[in-house]
Amino acid sequence: MNLKFFGAAVFALAALVANPAWAEEPGAVDRSATGGAQTLEDIMARQERLKVDKSFRSENLGNPANAAPISGELGTNGGRSDADVWRGLRYNELDPRTQVNSPAADVLIQDGGMPWYKLREGPVITYGGGAILGMIALLAVFYFIRGRIRIDGGPAGTTIERFKAIERFGHWLLAGSFIALGLTGLITLMGRSFLIPVMGPEAFATLAAGSKWLHNNVAWAFMLGLVMTFCMWVMHNIPNKLDWQWIKAGGGIFTKGHPSAKKFNAGQKVIFWTVMVLGVSVSLSGLSLLFPFQMPMFADTFGLINSVLGTSLPTDLAPHEEMQYANIWHSIVAFVMMVAIIAHIYIGSVGMEGAFDAMGNGQVDLEWARQHHDLWVAEVEAKQGKGGSS
């Protein structure tokens, strides 16, 4: 065995001596014809997603020792051409300084734009738009199978006050602003792909500019509605054991029975906390987009996650990167909220008889209230000391 191994080693050595080209490092490229610049082989290798040795660029940063006189052509660059300087910036080999004092003035190259653009135009639009269409299709199928949830035995003909005027104002302020934000956000995010072919670039430019202005300003109404509804209803949306019984019964959606509930049932509590948590998140990312230099959000968030989970998320982010992360997060959270709100709109309108009256005029049919919120009706009647009809 040792003799065979020795013989093979001698044969390999003899072959290398006889043909030195075999001993060259695999993938070595002769760049003498291009003066050290990239060659056709480099371009073809990148197109085939092969690893290319970039040292011919990263190490070609000029030589300060060869600096020309200050009056010479390259004197002000200290022995480096403009190409040398930009390569040094690209490979983080130079420490740039600028006389401009704006927050992002020293960020001369930020190459995260294309990955952000591909993620935004690809998965975010594809999966987000698909989720909205999927929810609409699912609700349509459910409606044709289940039909509208009727009041058992028909309406009582008498009403009870469900929501006061201030509660309805807060709800419609939040709901109306969210619908406006959703529509203008979709136009801004997806309009170039879907609307330009239909209406042309000039008309879309006007629509997009108006949508952006409306989106940025209606956001303040959304945040005000978020605060109002939280303050008015948070005490009624604290989870309790009764919610589990409601969930096990499916909320009466799939059966004829109606599980007991107070002012808000478990399904409404899920919607409430979804809107509150995601609403705060989408508001913060929106503020970060409006004020990127004053309210960066992700560097500190990543630092907190790293300290808790031991991850290594980036914490030294340029303003451009902060806005890219905020834009993607803003879009994802908004899509999740839109899917949830579409289901909420369905139940509160065509999906359930008598439900819209609660936010329409604040008065609901007494029989509807007893079937869906019997414990709440009992509390109201106990406070009034009478039947509670009007």
Side-chain angles (χ1 to χ4, degrees):
M1 180 63 71
N2 291 336
L3 290 176
K4 290 182 179 180
F5 178 81
F6 179 77
V10 171
F11 176 80
L13 180 62
L16 291 175
V17 172
N19 191 351
W22 290 9
E24 291 182 4
E25 182 180 354
V29 179
D30 181 12
R31 298 187 178 88
S32 58
T34 60
Q38 70 174 343
T39 65
L40 179 61
E41 287 79 4
D42 296 324
I43 299 173
M44 297 298 292
R46 285 202 305 273
Q47 290 179 347
E48 296 176 6
R49 300 184 181 275
L50 299 177
K51 186 176 181 181
V52 177
D53 181 9
K54 297 182 180 180
S55 60
F56 73 96
R57 283 180 169 173
S58 61
E59 296 176 3
N60 186 19
L61 307 180
N63 187 356
N66 297 331
I70 192 66
S71 58
E73 183 177 356
L74 296 180
T76 56
N77 283 341
R80 292 186 173 96
S81 67
D82 287 343
D84 295 333
V85 172
W86 285 106
R87 279 194 295 270
L89 291 171
R90 180 177 184 81
Y91 294 103
N92 200 30
E93 295 293 337
L94 294 182
D95 183 19
R97 288 175 174 80
T98 175
Q99 294 179 333
V100 182
N101 293 324
S102 62
D106 57 348
V107 182
L108 302 182
I109 295 179
Q110 199 275 319
D111 58 0
M114 286 310 298
W116 162 79
Y117 178 77
K118 291 179 180 179
L119 180 60
R120 177 181 181 270
E121 295 298 307
V124 171
I125 290 179
T126 301
Y127 294 119
I132 291 177
L133 295 177
M135 175 56 72
I136 294 174
L138 183 63
L139 291 174
V141 172
F142 179 79
Y143 179 81
F144 284 111
I145 294 176
R146 175 64 171 84
R148 196 177 195 194
I149 301 174
R150 300 288 182 178
I151 300 174
D152 296 342
T158 56
T159 61
I160 183 173
E161 186 180 51
R162 176 81 170 136
F163 293 112
K164 299 182 183 299
I166 185 63
E167 293 178 292
R168 301 198 306 277
F169 173 79
H171 171 271
W172 287 117
L173 179 65
L174 183 64
S177 60
F178 180 78
I179 291 173
L181 290 171
L183 292 175
T184 54
L186 290 175
I187 291 173
T188 304
L189 180 65
M190 308 168 70
R192 291 180 62 87
S193 301
F194 297 97
L195 295 181
I196 288 181
V198 176
M199 60 193 313
E202 292 80 10
F204 174 74
T206 303
L207 177 63
S211 296
K212 181 179 181 298
W213 182 89
L214 193 64
H215 194 90
N216 292 346
N217 288 280
V218 172
W220 304 108
F222 173 79
M223 287 184 276
L224 176 60
L226 200 67
V227 172
M228 288 184 63
T229 52
F230 178 82
C231 293
M232 290 186 298
W233 293 336
V234 63
M235 294 306 298
H236 298 287
N237 281 278
I238 304 298
N240 54 51
K241 295 180 180 180
L242 192 65
D243 298 326
W244 177 238
Q245 302 300 323
W246 190 94
I247 293 173
K248 288 195 299 183
I253 295 177
F254 305 99
T255 62
K256 292 296 183 180
H258 297 286
S260 295
K262 294 187 177 181
K263 184 165 186 174
F264 293 108
N265 57 44
Q268 292 168 322
K269 290 179 180 180
V270 169
I271 290 294
F272 175 84
W273 289 111
T274 297
V275 170
M276 291 299 120
V277 174
L278 298 186
V280 169
S281 182
V282 79
S283 297
L284 290 175
S285 58
L287 290 171
S288 182
L289 289 169
L290 287 172
F291 308 103
F293 303 135
Q294 294 80 11
M295 295 187 64
M297 187 176 73
F298 278 87
D300 292 338
T301 302
F302 287 165
L304 178 62
I305 294 174
N306 291 340
S307 64
V308 174
L309 302 180
T311 53
S312 57
L313 296 173
T315 56
D316 185 15
L317 300 177
H320 317 70
E321 294 172 300
E322 283 280 358
M323 293 186 72
Q324 288 159 4
Y325 279 118
N327 177 264
I328 294 298
W329 182 255
H330 192 77
S331 301
I332 293 173
V333 174
F335 273 123
V336 175
M337 289 187 68
M338 282 187 276
V339 170
I341 294 303
I342 288 172
H344 176 64
I345 292 174
Y346 167 80
I347 291 295
S349 56
V350 299
M352 179 180 291
E353 181 184 10
F356 182 79
D357 294 335
M359 282 301 170
N361 55 30
Q363 301 288 328
V364 295
D365 185 83
L366 184 58
E367 185 59 30
W368 178 92
R370 284 173 174 164
Q371 290 179 16
H372 297 285
H373 301 276
D374 56 333
L375 299 180
W376 168 74
V377 173
E379 291 177 356
V380 172
E381 292 177 341
K383 289 179 180 179
Q384 293 178 345
K386 57 182 179 179
S389 60
S390 62

